[in-house]
Amino acid sequence: MNITFLGACGVVTGSCYLINIDNKNILLDCGIYQGKDSDEIKNSSFEFNPQDIDYLILSHAHIDHSGKIPLLYKKGFRGKIICTKSTKDLCSVMLPDSAHIIEYETKWKNKSRKKKNLPEIEPLYDVETAKKTLPLFEGHEYNENITLFSGFEITLLDSGHLLGAAIIKIHINKDKDKFDFVFSGDIGNINIPILKDPTKINFSDYIMIETTYGSKDHKNPRDELKKLARIITDTFKKGGNVIIPSFAVGRTQEVIYTLNNYVEKNIFKNIKVYIDSPLSSECTEIFQKYEKDYDKEAKDLLKKGDNPLDFHGLFFTKSKEESIALKDIEKGAVIISSSGMCDAGRIKHHLLNNLSRSECSVVFVGYQAEGTLGKRILDGDKKVKIFGKEIEVNSSIYNLQSLSCHADKKGLLSWIKNFNPKPKKIILVHGEESSRESFKNALEKEGFKVICPKLGEKLSL
Ligand SMILES: [Zn+2]
């Protein structure tokens, strides 16, 4: 079996790996590059012929893992996309949404190109193409044994990172090749609302694992959530709003869950929480459909009759007009909007309206990639540009990144230590170079054999 590393090597986006075995081509993830990694050339092409791909095994719905699927289709891919049922459902709204953002951004780019007398560019893909990929998706349950072809069996295990997110366990049983290969996908943080902890696995010959937080440890997410309550109370006292840039899927539902707990315990009375993202609303409905995959705590709430993703004072704004009307709210509102790194979407309008007001707060609850607006605000820039306007940053900025849906260094290490005996090789991907190096050192200290493949490198197993 050969594996070629085609993305997320030394960076955290663009997850994509190509397995070749027995004249079959299997892609693991087909993600897009985002933030500073976003590269027009890398995003608009493939290092292989999409028509030659037989299967795409998709770890989860996040766009840095799935965002190039419509382009893959556009360039001729007609194979099967294997994932969990909930990932399939999430992709059915997230891919068209991604296409929508791409079309919108291309329109903007073309406006400025026209002024410079440059020819128009085409969007990477459009909404229609994104929708055409959906019949290729084949949804499975966690823990089901799926035979793709003779001697190639996979199992999707709960990775605790996002609804439907999976660790991909591959069992190869060929004449010459007999081994297990585990691709971690994104490994979840422990103690996160709604989601279960990552599945422990005790055997594999090879592991390919993400290293987003390979050099950092998180604080306890539950303590961070307590901080959120205090920030909201203090901001309301000052007469401001709390703005939370949040990934539409995953983090937003975790924040809703947390606020629901506070409302149920009467910590907040008459709070108004606006989820200003049509995608978030749709994804929240999908979350509600998969209650069977919730962790015990969330299931216990359901048993008591409390829907953990709904409470009095929670509003989903759908139309543009409803979203614009939020501009008139001066105080006492929590506005949760996407994109999570503030580079696109309605969040930019809310930052434009609130960032310069000292009585307001902006709370970051997720990873901010280098080069994004979110990262600049988080790094303490005193002025930022939004829609071409220079805005002073006077509001209080908070960083609750321990709410991350990624395991920290300790979490990754302890997950790997479940494997007994030690795997023959551990392949590190999906992390900034410094993070990957730091995690490599930590693993080598424990006696593991580790490799950090470069982009484009091919490995024979
Ligand atoms: Zn992810």
Side-chain angles (χ1 to χ4, degrees), residues 122-153:
E122 240 192 73
L124 209 53
Y125 52 82
D126 55 20
V127 175
E128 214 174 297
T129 313
K131 284 183 179 164
K132 279 186 190 155
T133 65
L134 303 177
L136 304 183
F137 279 77
E138 194 180 289
H140 290 269
E141 296 291 346
Y142 282 126
N143 307 315
E144 200 184 312
N145 290 331
I146 311 155
T147 304
L148 293 193
F149 50 92
S150 166
F152 195 99
E153 197 177 87

Side-chain angles (χ1 to χ4, degrees), residues 292-309:
K292 68 175 171 53
D293 292 334
Y294 288 8
D295 68 357
K296 188 181 174 300
E297 188 190 74
K299 278 184 184 159
D300 286 348
L301 287 177
L302 283 167
K303 259 186 233 159
K304 276 194 260 168
D306 172 19
N307 178 349
L309 295 179

